[in-house]
Amino acid sequence: MIYINGFACKSALGLTEEESVKNLSEGTDICLRERVGFLPGGQKAYLAEIPLYPDPLNRHDCRANRLLNECLNDIRPLIDEMMERYSPDRIGAVIGTSTSAITDVENEVLSAECEKNGELKYDPRVSEIGNISAFISDRLAITGPSYSIATACSSGGRAFVSARALLESGACDAVLVGACDTLSKITVSGFFALGALDIGRCHPLCDDRAGINIGEGVGITILTREPLKSGYVMKLLGTGSSTDGYHISAPEPEGHGAKTAIRLALMDAGLSPEDIGYVNLHATGTVLNDAMEHKVIRDVFGDRVPVSGTKHLTGHTLGAAGVVEAYIAYLIFRYGMKLPAIGYLSHMPSHEFDDIHLVKEPEDLQKPVIMSNNFAFGGNNISLIFGKYDSEQSDVR
């Protein structure tokens, strides 16, 4: 069995666990707001930028690493217990991302000072995708396997898969698993050029859905083969992944690759569709993704399992989405929270989704098993299944 020990996460839902619980239960956020400066011509777009008050980090200094460092500080008691229990060479780090430190590179390249004298004020090594995992290892002085994963919006979910492999192979006794993506002009403009960015507030699963909102997100947790004592614990029951390679940005319309990932996760966990208590959908708000995901849920789960999405509250955190949504499962288990509802101010879910169990009003989790799905560019699909852990009961699936 693989255990997920403690969790620190920062997104538009909140900067602390208490803030995230409050906003998830109320269907609100702290920082998904209209912003200028990311699109040409002074156009506004709804984006989420996390307030940040960290210390500089020497050669690793960049916005992504500063956000990760704040999360490390939040779970320091768990890290201390992990370091006491395991040798540094038996502790690994796997961090997902899609853009890593591109925000800092943009700011540097676009600065007038840089254009004037051609000198860089930052260490160019921070622009490497692998820098965020190297930062974690250097910051904690651990020497086990350490690497970053960049598979677009499935990166955070795939970090769990890779960490589990390191544990089950015996290569590690503990693995720090996380993800981080920061707001980037390149990313925002790119989605706008694709016609996938909603410059208003996004409303997935509605008739007039128009695209995504992009939000910053960061999170980190610790995976082990035995539970740690310093934080709340949940279980990683199963994982499934596929790569259908249908299109560089559009999903395969019938969702064959997505169904494969879900069914593999169910098989891995030894569960049937009816055993799942809730599915957190990818639910980006694009016309094509939501239509594809509807077919997937209808064909695998019918109307028997409650489903909804949370990106209208967090923004689409891209490479961090799998970790941010794993954190939402963690909060639901830990605090006995009701399932988050689909709600969009004046927008109502489309009737095309009436044949699945869409959570339109908060409802109780009936079975302590949650699935989270992320479907990325290039047909890179990931499905994770989490279970509630009760230390006083025998730990069987």
Side-chain angles (χ1 to χ4, degrees):
M1 179 58 65
I2 301 300
Y3 299 93
I4 298 170
N5 304 272
F7 224 127
C9 184
K10 301 178 189 301
S11 72
L13 271 183
L15 305 183
T16 66
E17 199 165 285
E18 293 74 18
E19 200 169 50
S20 296
V21 168
K22 176 180 180 294
N23 287 318
L24 184 61
S25 64
E26 296 177 356
T28 56
D29 65 87
I30 62 165
C31 60
L32 193 53
R33 304 289 184 268
E34 275 192 323
R35 297 285 305 278
V36 295
F38 285 83
L39 292 175
Q43 293 186 82
K44 297 179 181 179
Y46 267 84
L47 306 168
E49 184 173 37
I50 300 171
L52 182 62
Y53 308 98
D55 297 323
L57 302 171
N58 300 319
R59 84 164 185 87
H60 286 296
D61 195 20
C62 65
R63 184 170 179 82
N65 286 339
R66 289 187 179 201
L67 289 169
L68 282 166
N69 191 57
E70 290 197 352
C71 285
L72 290 176
N73 291 337
D74 287 349
I75 60 167
R76 192 70 227 189
L78 274 163
I79 291 173
D80 290 343
E81 180 185 348
M82 175 186 70
M83 299 297 289
E84 287 182 13
R85 186 179 295 194
Y86 306 117
S87 169
D89 64 343
R90 301 288 301 166
I91 302 172
V94 184
I95 311 297
T97 189
S98 66
T99 59
S100 190
I102 196 171
T103 305
D104 301 80
V105 177
E106 284 177 345
N107 292 339
E108 176 68 19
V109 170
L110 294 174
S111 71
E113 185 176 345
C114 179
E115 291 179 7
K116 181 178 179 180
N117 56 35
E119 294 181 0
L120 296 175
K121 294 180 293 183
Y122 77 112
D123 189 326
R125 287 176 292 180
V126 303
S127 65
E128 299 170 357
I129 290 291
N131 179 258
I132 54 176
S133 52
F135 161 68
I136 297 291
S137 295
D138 289 354
R139 174 78 170 77
L140 300 179
I142 56 177
T143 57
S146 176
Y147 52 90
S148 302
I149 291 179
T151 55
C153 303
S154 64
S155 303
R158 286 194 174 272
F160 281 96
V161 177
S162 293
R164 176 187 171 186
L166 290 174
L167 292 168
E168 292 185 339
S169 69
C172 291
D173 293 322
V175 183
L176 288 122
V177 175
C180 184
D181 259 338
T182 57
L183 277 183
S184 156
K185 293 182 177 68
I186 291 174
T187 305
V188 174
S189 298
F191 277 96
F192 181 71
L194 287 170
L197 187 75
D198 192 337
I199 60 174
R201 189 68 182 252
C202 76
H203 38 279
L205 306 174
C206 296
D207 282 324
D208 56 347
R209 59 191 185 272
I212 71 172
N213 295 153
I214 295 178
E216 286 187 323
V218 60
I220 199 157
T221 185
I222 300 172
L223 266 62
T224 57
R225 290 187 297 270
E226 54 187 5
L228 300 177
K229 298 177 181 179
S230 302
Y232 184 80
V233 178
M234 71 176 179
K235 299 181 287 187
L236 180 60
L237 297 179
T239 67
S241 59
S242 70
T243 305
D244 57 63
Y246 173 77
H247 188 273
I248 191 171
S249 59
E252 192 277 312
E254 299 302 315
H256 293 305
K259 292 175 195 174
T260 296
I262 289 172
R263 286 170 173 150
L264 287 173
L266 290 168
M267 185 184 304
D268 184 41
L271 299 173
S272 66
E274 292 77 13
D275 294 322
I276 304 299
Y278 168 65
V279 179
N280 191 330
L281 304 173
H282 193 50
T284 60
T286 65
V287 172
L288 296 179
N289 173 86
D290 289 7
M292 175 275 291
E293 199 164 11
H294 166 238
K295 294 176 184 176
V296 170
I297 296 301
R298 181 197 63 200
D299 292 351
V300 177
F301 296 100
D303 62 357
R304 302 181 300 277
V305 177
V307 304
S308 68
T310 49
K311 288 183 176 66
H312 63 293
L313 301 176
T314 63
H316 192 344
T317 57
L318 305 177
V323 168
V324 170
E325 287 153 25
Y327 177 67
I328 289 171
Y330 174 90
L331 295 179
I332 292 171
F333 286 144
R334 181 168 191 178
Y335 296 99
M337 297 185 67
K338 290 184 178 294
L339 302 179
I342 292 291
Y344 314 99
L345 304 177
S346 61
H347 298 274
M348 295 300 293
S350 170
H351 287 299
E352 71 179 284
F353 305 112
D354 285 348
D355 54 358
I356 62 176
H357 182 163
L358 199 60
V359 180
K360 298 178 182 179
E361 296 291 338
E363 59 184 81
D364 291 330
L365 178 68
Q366 299 295 330
K367 300 171 185 176
V369 182
I370 293 176
M371 173 180 283
S372 177
N373 297 324
N374 291 117
F375 309 127
F377 280 7
N380 202 305
N381 310 297
I382 190 77
S383 181
L384 304 176
I385 301 177
F386 306 106
K388 188 173 183 179
Y389 171 65
D390 187 343
S391 60
E392 296 181 358
Q393 296 181 5
S394 61
D395 188 24
V396 294
R397 293 183 180 180

